Amino acid sequence: MVKKRLYSVLSLVLLLAVALFGPTPHETLAAPPEDVSVGPPTTVAPVAPHVFAGDVRRIPATRPIKSDERQKPGEPAEPQLPAAKDTTIQAGATAVAAPAPSASFYGLDFANWGAGWPPDTNGDVGPTYYIQTVNTSIGIFDKSTGTRVAAFTFNTLFAQAGTGTPCDNANQGDPVVLYDPQTDRWVISDFAWAGANFATGPFYQCMAVSRSGDPVSGGWYFYAFKTNAGAFLPDYPKLGVWPDGIYMTANVFASSGSGAFQYAQTWAFNKADMYAGLPARSVTFQLPKAIKGVTVFSLLPSNMRTATGTPPAGAPNYLASIWGQYAVRLWQFHVDWNNTANSTLTGPTQIAVSTFSVPASTIPAKSGNALDSLGYRLMMQNQYTNLAGTQSIWLTHTVGNGSGIASIRWYQLNVGTSTITQQGTFNPDSNHRFIPSLAVDKLGNMAVGYSVSSSTMYPAIRYAGRLVTDPLGTLAQGETSLIEGTASQVGTFSDGSLNNRWGDYSAMTIAPDGCTFWYTTEYYELPQPTKLSEDNWKTRIGSFKYPGCQ
């Protein structure tokens, strides 16, 4: 009886401490799955491929059609979380800096290859090439020299073997490129619809799948998946490689009226079908708009790299979201390709994280417009690792530091136990850090890249990280610069609003060698623009690795 009373007192003290201060930096609190019903899966009719057998170097270098901006749907307001202290902040400079870049070269820019703002810079790396995507173009680079081997728009690529859909001539952006190291294939994707804005459907997810490991002369299969007949736009699609498919999530908005947020949705596409050039099967689930009064928004599918361990046979893809609460919501998507009606989406399991402050909606920049911070949604990738049998997903997003400074929050979450292994908020000085992306190497070392800006500095591209042997919850391999910007973004859109679109995401990935990190995002160089017509965002592609990884 005494032990029970003592346990009750200790439990009450713990609950009170968490309520006042949030979980400790390495707290492992997990609620049981909420098992919210999402209904049966929807099986989509197989989509036939269209074959392009040519060399992409022969594709005409037609420049994209310029637009004022890619229209932004009516996203849900960022929930105002209860004020709470962040107990995971890592402040001040570290004694050791992350390794210097081993490669750093220009990616695509707005003047030649951009359609508008933001660029939505993304990329991935294979054995020989780095492929980068921006709105609405693709660049293929020799990663050993930085030479651009080919560049073309999504429209001109898909026009090589028309699908008879808007994918052929009306690609709208939000691009993602994936390298699948398990099978040495590439997947490049964006969305498309007819018309100047998203009021006109139907809506398609366009996927170019390489026919071999050679993305230059090996040919491509084109797939145009209809994601909605026209009432709703699946926006902000994010993709991940998994052993049994390519998984995708999207935020779905009304395509008319206010364009209000409706719900989140997730898909699994059969990659074996696509890699073989067969009619491709897919399965989709629609999630509830809200669970227990909290909106379900901006999920990320888990992304596998063979160097960091493949999932056990039959393992589900792990979907993660942070929105409206101090917790990760975790779903498990299991697809059954033998009988798609047996596919399941279970969860969410709610896993408490250390409390944080919500960042400001915009970030100041020297001599330029304030920049969109994208709040505290999770940023790509949701990186999966299976190291020595421990399965984890690694996540990152932007938070505040309690004093109005945007900072980088990151997590390692053990999916076997649904607990947080470690977490931290990187806030070394008074500059703002935002739009992060992270990856993990084969030893368990991690690196995160991001933009850095303030009222006294131009936006820069930097990264930091940690070795697997560093103290938990710290980025002990401190900040290193990929490139420092020398200008800022300016201009006013046709509706009179300032051009503050930045990001909307960046990409840190790990090479097939399991050691070399590659990062890409945007920045600006002189001359400093003074109006929108002079604006020319640039992108950078760079790499580095930790000395102990061979």
Side-chain angles (χ1 to χ4, degrees):
M1 182 66 71
V2 173
K3 290 182 178 179
K4 288 183 178 179
R5 287 175 180 169
L6 179 59
Y7 179 81
S8 298
V9 170
L10 291 173
S11 298
L12 181 61
V13 170
L14 176 60
L15 289 172
L16 181 60
V18 171
L20 290 175
F21 304 109
T24 61
H26 316 304
E27 191 67 69
T28 55
L29 300 178
E34 297 182 51
D35 289 325
V36 176
S37 175
V38 294
T42 299
T43 300
V44 182
V47 174
H50 293 254
V51 182
F52 167 53
D55 189 315
V56 296
R57 289 170 293 191
R58 299 192 181 98
I59 294 177
T62 305
R63 296 182 180 183
I65 299 172
K66 305 294 184 184
S67 63
D68 199 27
E69 64 171 322
R70 192 181 70 76
Q71 189 171 351
K72 193 173 185 179
E75 295 187 350
E78 292 175 10
Q80 294 303 306
L81 297 173
K85 182 179 180 181
D86 188 337
T87 60
T88 73
I89 289 180
Q90 177 186 341
T94 58
V96 179
S102 52
S104 179
F105 52 86
Y106 284 112
L108 303 178
D109 65 350
F110 173 74
N112 296 290
W113 296 107
W117 300 266
D120 290 344
T121 316
N122 190 249
D124 210 342
V125 58
T128 304
Y129 299 106
Y130 186 93
I131 300 183
Q132 184 194 52
T133 54
V134 297
N135 285 332
T136 50
S137 298
I138 302 162
I140 301 179
F141 300 83
D142 183 324
K143 71 177 192 181
S144 64
T145 64
T147 302
R148 194 179 73 208
V149 176
F152 38 84
T153 68
F154 275 85
N155 285 349
T156 53
L157 173 64
F158 274 85
Q160 304 305 304
T163 65
T165 73
C167 290
D168 302 340
N169 56 16
N171 286 272
Q172 305 287 348
D174 276 16
V176 175
V177 55
L178 297 171
Y179 175 72
D180 185 344
Q182 191 174 42
T183 53
D184 188 26
R185 294 298 186 92
W186 294 88
V187 178
I188 304 175
S189 182
D190 80 337
F191 54 25
W193 62 85
N197 57 49
F198 60 85
T200 306
F203 301 102
Y204 290 86
Q205 193 68 32
C206 313
M207 292 195 188
V209 178
S210 67
R211 300 174 67 197
S212 69
D214 180 2
V216 177
S217 60
W220 293 80
Y221 298 120
F222 299 149
Y223 290 89
F225 294 98
K226 185 187 291 185
T227 52
N228 195 274
F232 301 109
L233 162 67
D235 185 56
Y236 207 63
K238 297 292 173 283
L239 286 74
V241 172
W242 207 244
D244 61 3
I246 303 298
Y247 286 75
M248 186 178 86
T249 57
N251 298 323
V252 179
F253 295 86
S255 59
S256 60
S258 64
F261 175 70
Q262 302 297 305
Y263 51 83
Q265 190 167 347
T266 183
W267 292 258
F269 302 97
N270 190 304
K271 73 178 189 180
D273 291 347
M274 293 190 290
Y275 295 172
L278 300 173
R281 293 164 287 169
S282 61
V283 177
T284 183
F285 283 95
Q286 177 184 319
L287 285 84
K289 181 176 182 180
I291 298 175
K292 294 185 178 179
V294 179
T295 300
V296 178
F297 185 67
S298 282
L299 285 79
L300 293 183
S302 49
N303 187 50
M304 172 205 73
R305 311 298 287 196
T306 54
T308 56
T310 56
N317 189 269
Y318 299 97
L319 310 179
S321 172
I322 289 181
W323 191 257
Q325 54 188 350
Y326 297 119
V328 174
R329 276 177 165 166
L330 186 67
W331 285 263
Q332 297 186 21
F333 188 166
H334 175 263
V335 64
D336 184 341
W337 293 118
N338 294 320
N339 183 358
T340 53
N342 289 336
S343 301
T344 57
L345 179 65
T346 57
T349 298
Q350 185 161 298
I351 304 159
V353 302
S354 183
T355 52
F356 53 82
S357 62
V358 178
S361 60
T362 57
I363 305 299
K366 180 181 178 180
S367 303
N369 295 344
L371 307 173
D372 191 352
S373 70
L374 270 73
Y376 60 90
R377 75 185 69 186
L378 289 179
M379 304 301 293
M380 61 188 309
Q381 303 280 355
N382 168 356
Q383 180 66 62
Y384 173 88
T385 62
N386 185 357
L387 300 172
T390 298
Q391 297 184 76
S392 299
I393 58 172
W394 298 71
L395 307 168
T396 186
H397 61 129
T398 306
V399 301
N401 73 337
S403 300
I405 304 299
S407 308
I408 302 303
R409 170 67 74 89
W410 59 276
Y411 311 91
Q412 180 189 3
L413 190 158
N414 185 316
V415 296
T417 59
S418 297
T419 57
I420 297 295
T421 301
Q422 57 177 325
Q423 58 188 312
T425 299
F426 189 60
N427 176 227
D429 55 38
S430 60
N431 294 323
H432 298 265
R433 290 163 177 81
F434 60 113
I435 315 290
S437 179
L438 60 72
V440 183
D441 72 13
K442 65 183 180 183
L443 300 181
N445 307 317
M446 185 267 276
V448 57
Y450 43 82
S451 293
V452 187
S453 184
S454 75
S455 60
T456 59
M457 69 171 288
Y458 301 113
I461 303 175
R462 299 179 186 173
Y463 55 89
R466 66 181 317 278
L467 301 179
V468 67
T469 53
D470 287 335
L472 291 177
T474 64
L475 300 185
Q477 311 303 304
E479 190 166 86
T480 294
S481 176
L482 178 60
I483 193 166
E484 298 296 293
T486 55
S488 288
Q489 181 168 284
V490 300
T492 302
F493 292 132
S494 57
D495 64 359
S497 62
L498 291 177
N499 177 12
N500 64 5
R501 302 296 303 278
W502 190 266
D504 275 337
Y505 41 90
S506 63
M508 180 74 79
T509 56
I510 194 76
D513 66 7
C515 292
T516 308
F517 294 90
W518 286 81
Y519 186 55
T520 187
T521 192
E522 71 169 304
Y523 73 110
Y524 278 80
E525 288 185 342
L526 288 174
Q528 169 67 42
T530 60
K531 54 187 176 181
L532 193 65
S533 61
E534 298 175 352
D535 190 284
N536 184 24
W537 47 254
K538 302 288 182 68
T539 65
R540 200 76 179 176
I541 300 168
S543 67
F544 60 94
K545 70 176 183 177
Y546 294 111
C549 192
Q550 303 297 328

